[in-house]
Amino acid sequence: MTRSASSSPGKESLHDWLMSERPHSRRQASLGRAYGAWRTFARNRLAMLGLVIVIALVLVAVFADLLAPYSPYIGDLRTTRLLPPSSAHWFGTDDQGRDILSRIIHGSRITLYVVALVAVLAAPIGLIVGTVAGYAGGWLDAALMRITDIFLAFPRLILALAFVAALGPGIENAVIAIAITSWPPYARIARAETLTIRQADYIAAVRLIGASPWRIVLRHIMPLCVPSVIVRVTLDMAGIILTAAGLGFLGLGAQPPMPEWGALIANGRLYVLDQWWVAAAPGAAIFLVSLAFNLLGDGLRDALDPKGVK
Amino acid sequence: MSIIDRALEKSGASIKALPPFDESLPLVPPQPVHTSNAAEPVAPEPVTAVDAATAVAPAAPAAPAAPAFAAPAADPVRPNPPRAAKAPAAPVLIVDDLRVSFPNRDGGRTEAVRGVSFTLGRERLGIVGESGSGKSQTGRAILGLTAPEGLVTARRMEFHGTDLLRSSVKERRALRGGRIAMVLQDPKFSLNPVMSIGNQIVETLRAHSNVSAKQARAKALAALEAVQIDQPERVYKLYPHEVSGGMGQRAMIAMMLIADPELLIADEPTSALDVTVQLQVLAILDRLVTDRGMGLVFISHDLRLVSTFCDRILVMYAGKVVEEVSSGALADAKHPYTRGLLNCLPKLADDRHPLPTLDRKPEWAV
Amino acid sequence: MVQSLPAKSGGARFVGALKSGVNFLGVILLTYLGLLAVTFFIGRVMPIDPVLAIVGDRAPEHVVQRVREELGLNKPLYTQFYIYLKKIATGDFGTSVLTSNPVMTDIKRTFPATIELATLGIIIGAGLGIPLGVWAAVRRGGMVDQIVRVMGLIGYSVPIFWLGLMGLVLFYAKLGWIAGPGRIDVSYEYSVTLVSGFLLLDTARQGQWDAFRNVLSHLILPAGLLGYFSLAYISRMTRSFMLNELAQEYVIAARAKGLSETRIIWRHALRNAMVPLVTVVALSYAGLLEGSVLTETVFAWPGLGLYITNSLQNADMNAVLGGTIVVGSIFIGLNLLSDLLYKLLDPRTRIR
C-alpha cells in the first residue's frame, strides 16, 4: 500500500483510497485505475503541455467573443489594411483590414468543431465495425475487414477533395469527407482487441447466462476497446486538423467570411511574399494545436499502454 | 556475523560444503581468494571429476541426484567421463565478488548479482538457480554482455591471467567468440532470422581469423558435421526458422565453437528443447568440451541435469552463491535451499503426499 | 540421429504459393473496384445533375444531351457502373471542360512533374532518414535521438503548405537563394525539349547546364520540403524498428561471437529492420504523392496535384475524378506493394 507523504489528512486519505489494493466497490476500482493512469500521464511533462494547450484551445473557442480584441468579420479597408504586427494588432491585419488575432481566435471554434465532429462520427463507426467483425468471426469478419482494408488504402485528402467537389464546399461536407476516410484504423484496433477479449472466461460466462450477442458486444467488449481507440483518435487528431486545414487552404472547407485557419493561410498566400504575416500566424496556430494533440496522444499511449516501451 | 551465518551455524552447516577428500589422488593446492574474510577458503576441484564419474554410475543408488534414466553400462549424457586432470590446472577463470546492478523504476539500483566468487579450471562448473537468481547475468558479465545500463563490479575477474575488468573494449571483443564463447537458450531467437545458418557460422570464423571465403566455408561445413548434422551442405543454406529446435541449437554450438575457444558458457542450452533432443544435444556438447579440453560453465535451472553433467555445482539464490558442492556430494548438501531443491525433485518410485515444496526463508536472500 | 526435413513437398509448396498469389490478386482487384465504385458514386450518384457537373453550366443543349446519352443516365445504376468501368479500363476518363482535352492527355502531361518531385523527396527522406534513425537508436538518448524525435513531432504537426509558404518567403523573397514558384524560369522554358518529362534528366541530357541549374534552383525547396516530411516519418520509424531489433537475442548472440558493433548494427539489426522499413518507405512515397495536391498549389508546380485543384476550382468533374483515380490507384498500389514486399523480404514468410 503506498503511503502519501502529504501532511494534510484529507488528501492522504483520498490518495490512499484510490491507490488501495483492496477496493471495496467497482467504482473505487475503476477510479483507482484511472487515477493510476493519470499519475503516469502527469509525470510526462510534454504530455501535460499538450493537455494544457488543448484545454486552452477549448477555452479560447468557448470565450472567443470575450477574448478577441476586434471583430473577425469587419475591417476598415482604408486605415487598417495589411498592417504589420504591432501592439495594436498583435498579428497584423489582412487584406480586408481585419485583425488577424481576432480571426484566429474565432477560427479556433471551427477547428474544435471539425475535430469533435470527426471524432464523434468516425470513432463509433470504427468501434462498431471492429467489435462486430472481431466477435462474429467467419464470413462477416472477412467481409467487414475487406471493406476496412479497402478504405484503409484510400488516400484521405484526395478522396475528401473529390467528395467535397461533388457535394460542394462547406464545413459539414469537409467533416463528412474526412470522417469517411478516418474510421478504418479504429476498426482495426477494435477488432484486434476484441479477438483477445472474446476468449476470456467472463465472456463465456455472460453468454451462458443468456446474453444476446449484441448485448455482449455493446456492454462487455466495446467498453474495453475504448481506451485504445481513444489513444488512436487523439493521435489522429493532428492529422485530421492538418487535412481539414488543407481542405480549407484549397477553398473547400468553411467558406468566407468564416475565419477557418486553412482558409486564412490561403487568403494570405496572395500577399505572402511582401506581407508574410497574414499567412504566418494562422499556420503557427495550426502547428501549435496539432503539436498539442500529438504530445497528448503520446502521453496517453504511454500511460495506458502496460508495456510502456518508449 | 551476518544473520545467515548465524542461522546456518545453528543448523550445523557452513556456507561452502567441502567435498570428501581422497588421499590417493593428485592434489591441487587450494587457492584462497578472500584474504580478508577468514571463513571461506575456496578450493578448485578438478579431482572431483572422478567422484562425479562414480556418482553417475548407479553404484550410489542412495544419492537422490542420481538420474533415473541412467543406464548401468553407458550414461547417454556422459559416455566419456573424464579421468583425473592431466596437468595441474591453472585456473582458466577467476571471479571474485562479482556484482551486477541495474537501475530500477524508483531511481535506485537493484543488484542482480551480489558478490559471486568462484574459480574455474579446465572442468565443468554448473550454476543452478531459479529465474531471477542472477545466474544468467553472471554468465553475461563474464563475457561483458551486460546491458549498457547495468553496472558490473568485481574485486577480480581474470581469464587466463587477462584482467577482464581493465581490458579495453577491443580486447574484450577479441576474447568473445575467439577464446570465451557463449551458447544461448533458444535458437529461434538467438540466430539471426534473415541470414542463412552457414553464413552466420562463417561470420564467427572470419571475425577471429584471416581465412579465405572458401576455407571458411569448408570449416563451417566441418563444424556442422562435428555437431552431427547429417547433410551439412543443405543445412548451410537453410534459414534458422527452417530447422528444428535441436538442429538449430546444434548449429548454434557449431557457430560458437568454430573459432576454438577455451571456455564455454552455456546459458540454459537445452531448456528450450524437448527432453529426448536435450540428451542428444548434451551428448554432443559433452564430447566437444571433452575433446577440446575446454572449461565449461553450465547455467541451468535443472539441478538434476547439472549434477549429471558437471563436476562442481554452484547454487545461486537471489544473486548470491548459497552453496558450492561437487556433483558427487550433492546428496550431502548442507544449505536448506539446496536441500529444498533436492527434495522437490520428482521421484518415480516414491509416494509422497503432499508433494514437498520450497519453503523460502527470507534470510537466504540477505 | 533424427534430422528434421521441411514437411511440404515441392508440389504442395507450389500450390500454397499459387493460393497466396490468387488471394493477393483478388485483394488488388477488389480494392481497385472499391476505389472505382467510390469515384463512380461521387461522380454520378452524388451530384444532383451529374451531366451538369461534367459539362459545366454553359454547355449548349446538344452537348448536354449527348453526354446524357453517353453516360446512360436513363439506364439502371449497375449498367451505368458497367459502362463506367469499361471506359476507365480503356483509359477514357472523359473530357476536361477547362482544356477541352481528353483528361487522360492532361494527366499524362502533368504526371511526370509530380513524380519527379516526389521521387526526389523520397530519396532525401530515405537517404537521410534511415541513417539518422539508426544513429538515433544506437545512441539512444543522445543528441541525434532528441533531434530525430523533435523533427518527427514537427513533421507530424506542421501543415506542409504553410511551411512551404514560409520557406518561399524566407529563401526566395527575403534571401534570394533560390528561384521562385514554377519548375523553370520562363526564359529557359522554350529552350528545353521535353523528352521524358523529367526536367532534370532532359536538361542534363541535352547539355543545357544553365537550364539544369535553373531547374535545380526551382526544385530544391519543394523537394526539400517533401524530403523533410518524408525524413521525419522514416527516421522515426527506423529508430523504432532498430530499437526493437537491438533488443533481440540474436544481437546478444552476435556480440557473443565477437563481431564488431558496426557490423552488428548494419548487417544484423538493420537488415532485420529493413523488412518493415521498406513498407514504411513505400507508404511515405504514397503520402508524398497525396500531399502533392497541396505542395504543387503553393509552388505553382505544374503537376497532377495542381491539375486536380485547378479542375476543382473550375468544377471540372471529369478532370477531378480522373486525377483522383490516378492518384488513388498509385496510392493503393503502393499500399499493396508494401504488403507484398513485407511478405517477400521476411524469410520467415517467404514463399520459396
Side-chain angles (χ1 to χ4, degrees), chain C residues 108-221:
Chain C
K108 277 202 212 149
R109 192 191 66 232
T110 53
F111 194 55
T114 307
I115 294 287
E116 188 176 28
L117 199 53
T119 310
L120 267 167
I122 198 77
I123 291 177
I124 297 177
L128 286 179
I130 296 184
L132 271 176
V134 170
W135 193 342
V138 169
R139 297 220 186 284
R140 191 177 170 175
M143 179 76 127
V144 177
D145 190 7
Q146 308 281 23
I147 294 180
V148 162
R149 284 163 79 183
V150 167
M151 278 208 306
L153 261 182
I154 296 180
Y156 285 2
S157 316
V158 76
I160 189 172
F161 52 91
W162 178 76
L163 201 61
L165 271 178
M166 295 294 114
L168 268 179
V169 167
L170 184 61
F171 294 111
Y172 169 59
K174 300 278 189 248
L175 291 174
W177 286 356
I178 54 156
R183 278 182 97 183
I184 191 171
D185 279 353
V186 179
S187 45
Y188 293 104
E189 197 168 346
Y190 296 102
S191 57
V192 182
T193 15
L194 279 175
V195 174
S196 63
F198 299 115
L199 276 180
L200 270 185
L201 289 177
D202 287 340
T203 49
R205 220 185 282 160
Q206 290 163 32
Q208 306 200 0
W209 297 107
D210 278 345
F212 181 82
R213 268 198 296 274
N214 186 260
V215 168
L216 202 60
S217 171
H218 280 272
L219 252 180
I220 196 167
L221 187 59

Side-chain angles (χ1 to χ4, degrees), chain B residues 107-168:
Chain B
R109 296 192 80 89
T110 318
E111 274 199 316
V113 180
R114 305 186 295 149
V116 166
S117 310
F118 61 88
T119 319
L120 182 74
R122 280 189 192 277
E123 57 176 323
R124 305 170 188 211
L125 177 71
I127 302 185
V128 175
E130 55 195 53
S131 312
S133 56
K135 53 192 201 299
S136 279
Q137 289 302 327
T138 307
R140 291 192 184 191
I142 297 173
L143 230 61
L145 289 179
T146 318
E149 56 264 17
L151 183 63
V152 177
T153 57
R155 232 175 314 191
R156 256 175 100 190
M157 202 154 70
E158 285 177 17
F159 172 70
H160 268 181
T162 316
D163 188 347
L164 292 176
L165 293 168
R166 269 174 262 291
S167 304
S168 72

Side-chain angles (χ1 to χ4, degrees), chain B residues 192 203 208 228 230 241, chain C residues 1 3 257 263 268 272 347:
Chain B
N192 188 342
E203 201 180 22
H208 292 279
Q228 299 189 348
D230 278 345
H241 68 281
Chain C
M1 188 75 65
Q3 313 249 343
K257 294 202 300 195
R263 195 183 166 93
H268 284 257
N272 273 278

Side-chain angles (χ1 to χ4, degrees), chain A residues 161 246 249-250 252, chain C residues 292-294 296-298 301 303-315 320:
Chain A
L161 256 175
F249 179 70
L250 295 173
L252 301 175
Chain C
S292 68
V293 182
L294 296 169
E296 290 182 7
T297 311
V298 169
W301 194 266
L304 194 49
L306 192 60
Y307 180 68
I308 294 180
T309 41
N310 276 344
S311 316
L312 201 63
Q313 258 128 27
N314 290 288
V320 172

Side-chain angles (χ1 to χ4, degrees), chain C residues 279-292:
Chain C
T279 60
V280 161
V281 172
L283 287 175
S284 180
Y285 193 65
L288 289 185
L289 284 177
E290 191 195 3
S292 68

